[in-house]
Amino acid sequence: FFSGVMEKLGLGPEVLLEENPRLIYARLTGFGQTGKYAKSAGHDINYLALSGVLSKLGRKGENPYAPLNLLADFAGGGVLCAMGIIIALYERTKSGKGQIVDASMVEGTAYLSSFLWKSQNLGLWNRPRGENLLDSGAPFYETYRTSDGKYMAVGAIEPQFYEQLIKGLGLDSDKLPSQLSFSDWPKMKKMFASIFAQKTQMEWCSIFDGTDACVTPVLSFDDAASHQHNKQRGSFIKNDQEEISPRPAPLLSRTPAVPAFKRDPFIGEHTEEILLEYGFTKEEIAKLHSDKVIEFSKPKANL
């Protein structure tokens, strides 16, 4: 995630683009290639913090929290870097020239959150963290514990969906406060929580499945892979070690991805094989390994 690493190896973009002007050279770092923090270490939570997004994540009265390392590393980083490469490839079909993609996880995460920035004047985010429509403030956009210790996810934003939620909970909307009565939200959340706690997750699924109440079970990885909907679509696959992982997405109609059913390679497992294929001698590979430029999966390389 540091900038300047490739220059130290003598493989900076200027060197390689001189060799091949059509090259797309993508640089994925946390803070980007320039700026005060460009050469500073960091991780997802730091990039998330600098982007402004972390300040929006968390419940009322609690510290902001980072949702694993999904937002900055993978979404704002990996996915947007890949998008930059695709854009550059498309542009090359017109110009015939390559270019450098400077993918900063801070900027990628901020851009990913454009909706938050652009909707500030709509009243969606004008309350403190944890008190807004989509950040656990609303009783109809929340998770609730069931009697068997599992959870249901509720996302009944639109009035017609909210009405079905109320119906499924066995309540009468005429006897309840208005859906968007902010002052009543804490009381409504307690009411919904006490009702959800009276039935198991499966019982709630039998009530809400097939409705438009926007109520779904919160599934573990194992449960997600075995859920009827996901099984019908083949959304998860097993490799030859019986390990489960998501099928490549999105699904293309004419050229769908062909998933690999072999186990994931160990880090460095194919290093020697690939370098030999590209013309390196065994002596050169041994030198690279002893200099710790490359890594093997085994402590001692079979050279």
Side-chain angles (χ1 to χ4, degrees), residues 221-222 225 235-247 259-266:
F221 273 19
D222 287 340
S235 303
F236 294 88
I237 56 176
K238 276 187 181 180
N239 67 10
D240 55 11
Q241 308 287 308
E242 293 294 299
E243 295 168 330
I244 299 170
S245 62
R247 184 199 67 207
F261 292 101
K262 292 184 178 180
R263 63 159 175 80
D264 293 339
F266 302 121

Side-chain angles (χ1 to χ4, degrees), residues 272 274-285 288:
E272 180 185 1
I274 291 166
L275 291 177
L276 285 170
E277 189 179 312
Y278 273 87
F280 284 78
T281 65
K282 290 202 171 189
E283 291 72 23
E284 287 171 330
I285 296 170
L288 288 169

Side-chain angles (χ1 to χ4, degrees), residues 39-223:
K39 298 195 181 300
S40 299
H43 277 293
D44 187 289
I45 194 169
N46 307 116
Y47 314 138
L48 201 56
L50 206 64
S51 74
V53 176
L54 185 56
S55 71
K56 299 290 185 185
L57 305 178
R59 294 185 175 276
K60 179 181 178 181
E62 296 183 10
N63 294 359
Y65 75 91
L68 306 179
N69 67 325
L70 293 174
L71 271 183
D73 281 352
F74 297 110
V79 173
L80 285 194
C81 182
M83 185 184 291
I85 293 169
I86 291 167
I87 292 167
L89 285 167
Y90 178 69
E91 192 280 335
R92 191 175 70 182
T93 65
K94 298 183 175 184
S95 68
K97 297 177 181 177
Q99 57 185 309
I100 302 164
V101 178
D102 179 4
S104 151
M105 294 186 200
V106 173
E107 292 163 6
T109 306
Y111 187 57
L112 195 71
S113 72
S114 293
F115 168 66
L116 305 186
W117 294 83
K118 302 283 188 181
S119 63
Q120 287 181 96
N121 297 327
L122 299 180
L124 294 175
W125 313 105
N126 55 356
R127 299 167 68 83
R129 180 176 63 252
E131 296 182 32
N132 299 279
L133 186 70
L134 303 177
D135 64 0
S136 80
F140 49 85
Y141 203 89
E142 177 61 287
T143 57
Y144 292 100
R145 188 179 175 91
T146 56
S147 63
D148 54 344
K150 298 182 179 182
Y151 295 88
M152 297 299 288
V154 176
I157 298 173
E158 292 79 1
Q160 67 272 29
F161 301 157
Y162 182 72
E163 186 58 39
Q164 293 204 38
L165 166 66
I166 297 302
K167 182 181 175 184
L169 292 175
L171 297 170
D172 184 348
S173 57
D174 292 335
K175 298 177 182 177
L176 297 174
S178 165
Q179 179 185 358
L180 296 178
S181 175
F182 297 114
S183 60
D184 289 302
W185 278 3
K187 179 178 68 177
M188 293 294 289
K189 285 180 75 168
K190 287 180 181 176
M191 182 192 299
F192 287 5
S194 67
I195 296 172
F196 271 108
Q198 293 169 18
K199 290 182 170 65
T200 65
Q201 186 186 70
M202 189 175 291
E203 286 173 325
W204 285 118
C205 286
S206 68
I207 290 171
F208 285 112
D209 279 4
T211 74
D212 283 335
C214 301
V215 179
T216 48
V218 177
L219 301 176
S220 67
F221 273 19
D222 287 340
D223 289 343

